[in-house]
């Protein structure tokens, strides 16, 4: 009855399941976002180790009647364990996981690729955490099909002036001209930040993270995109409630 299936995937959530087991949420390339039960994960030393942030090839049993998955084995590509020893990096990575869970339904291979690279870079380029965060949100907005061009207002179609400060339309979840704005004074996009987001929109994730930004611009753009992330996620994000990602990192 059960079928063996496998996919590249990242563990984005893990919780207790009964006394001995864990229920994982996997962002998979082949099956989207799925729940997988890992039997004996809490006690047995022989149990498959699949903690949050683990990236690898997951081998699963699929029960087509119950439409449920159980974990058989995992070939780890990267544990990303280094992230856990750093509070800021941990918060950033948990924020990525929360965003993935809130916005799922987009293109799974692209989301997996973004998540995999973002976690790798948090390990290899910890100093660039703010830019990794910025580009994670900006690329995820694009994957979800919500990224609008920054050359003209998506509502009235007017070309922006070069020095224009963009406002925001909450219904469309997109920047717009001041005439088309709904009230959200916190979502103001100055010309420098707009140019940066516009230029990096066409770059791949890693190249975009390496584009230099001043500390002041980094902080401003990061806080803009964290608010943007909350809007596209449809409400408050747990990982943003403590304020750590907005200030430290
Ligand atoms: Zn407009």
């Amino acid at each position: 009855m059960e079928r063996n299936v496998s996919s590249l995937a990242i563990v984005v959530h893990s919780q207790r399941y009964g006394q001995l087991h864990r229920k994982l949420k996997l962002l998979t390339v082949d099956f989207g976002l799925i729940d997988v039960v890992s039997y004996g994960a809490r006690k047995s030393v022989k149990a498959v180790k699949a903690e949050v942030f683990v990236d690898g090839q997951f081998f699963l049993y699929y029960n087509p009647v119950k439409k449920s998955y159980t974990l058989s084995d995992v070939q780890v590509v990267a544990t990303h364990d280094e992230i856990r020893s750093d509070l800021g990096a941990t918060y950033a990575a948990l924020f990525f996981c929360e965003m993935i869970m809130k916005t799922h339904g987009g293109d799974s291979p692209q989301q997996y690729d973004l998540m995999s690279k973002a976690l790798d870079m948090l390990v290899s380029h910890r100093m660039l955490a703010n830019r990794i965060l910025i580009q994670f949100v900006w690329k995820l907005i694009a994957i979800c099909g919500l990224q609008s061009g920054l050359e003209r207002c998506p509502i009235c179609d007017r070309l922006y002036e070069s020095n224009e400060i963009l406002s925001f339309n909450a219904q469309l979840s997109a920047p717009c001209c001041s005439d088309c704005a709904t009230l959200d004074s916190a979502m103001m996009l100055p010309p420098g930040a707009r140019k940066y987001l516009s230029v990096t929109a066409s770059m791949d994730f890693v190249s975009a993270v390496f584009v230099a930004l001043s500390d002041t611009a980094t902080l401003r753009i990061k806080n803009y995109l964290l608010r943007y992330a909350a809007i596209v996620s449809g409400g408050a994000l747990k990982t943003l409630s403590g304020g750590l990602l907005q200030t430290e990192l």
Side-chain angles (χ1 to χ4, degrees):
M1 182 72 94
E2 286 187 337
R3 289 196 286 127
N4 292 301
V5 295
S6 86
S7 176
L8 275 172
I10 295 169
V11 183
V12 295
H13 192 251
S14 172
Q15 65 186 77
R16 287 174 70 158
Y17 185 66
Q19 286 299 306
L20 301 172
H21 320 302
R22 297 201 74 88
K23 187 181 266 185
L24 313 175
K25 208 172 270 295
L26 300 186
L27 170 65
T28 71
V29 167
D30 296 309
F31 318 114
L33 196 62
I34 57 170
D35 288 321
V36 173
V37 176
S38 178
Y39 285 104
R42 298 196 56 235
K43 283 282 160 66
S44 167
V45 285
K46 283 190 291 182
V48 179
K49 295 275 178 256
E51 291 182 70
V52 176
F53 312 146
V54 163
D55 184 349
Q57 184 76 27
F58 284 74
F59 298 90
L60 312 166
Y61 299 120
Y62 177 63
N63 183 320
V65 178
K66 294 184 190 163
K67 294 189 166 47
S68 64
Y69 294 91
T70 54
L71 183 62
S72 153
D73 201 3
V74 57
Q75 259 171 24
V76 175
V77 174
T79 62
H80 301 117
D81 272 344
E82 300 87 339
I83 291 173
R84 250 181 287 279
S85 60
D86 180 315
L87 186 66
T90 301
Y91 259 83
L94 288 173
F95 166 76
F96 298 161
C97 292
E98 193 178 13
M99 283 290 301
I100 290 289
M101 289 188 280
K102 286 274 169 76
T103 61
H104 93 279
D107 183 299
S108 295
Q110 283 188 54
Q111 287 199 355
Y112 166 84
D113 188 58
L114 175 63
M115 186 70 177
S116 183
K117 291 196 167 103
L119 293 176
D120 287 352
M121 285 200 91
L122 271 183
V123 173
S124 63
H125 294 79
R126 173 62 181 85
M127 296 299 287
L128 301 181
N130 281 317
R131 270 143 62 179
I132 295 168
L133 201 72
I134 286 170
Q135 286 300 327
F136 178 86
V137 176
W138 191 225
K139 296 294 175 202
L140 191 62
I141 287 170
I143 292 169
C144 294
L146 295 167
Q147 196 180 88
S148 65
L150 296 171
E151 290 75 45
R152 55 176 71 239
C153 174
I155 298 159
C156 67
D157 210 35
R158 178 176 67 72
L159 268 176
Y160 298 128
E161 306 288 339
S162 60
N163 59 352
E164 192 168 337
I165 297 170
L166 305 196
S167 303
F168 201 84
N169 185 287
Q171 274 98 52
L172 206 65
S173 295
C176 65
C177 79
S178 58
D179 292 337
C180 299
T182 54
L183 285 178
D184 194 341
S185 55
M187 292 297 287
M188 289 292 184
L189 189 62
R194 165 157 60 110
K195 184 149 188 282
Y196 165 83
L197 290 178
S198 191
V199 166
T200 56
S202 60
M203 298 175 135
D204 66 82
F205 174 75
V206 176
S207 310
V209 170
F210 285 123
V211 172
L213 265 181
S214 74
D215 289 349
T216 320
T218 301
L219 205 61
R220 186 186 302 130
I221 296 170
K222 179 181 73 169
N223 281 299
Y224 180 85
L225 282 172
L226 289 179
R227 282 190 289 262
Y228 206 150
I231 293 169
V232 300
S233 303
L237 289 158
K238 273 188 278 180
T239 45
L240 295 184
S241 61
L244 185 133
L245 288 178
Q246 290 88 331
T247 50
E248 305 297 319
L249 212 62

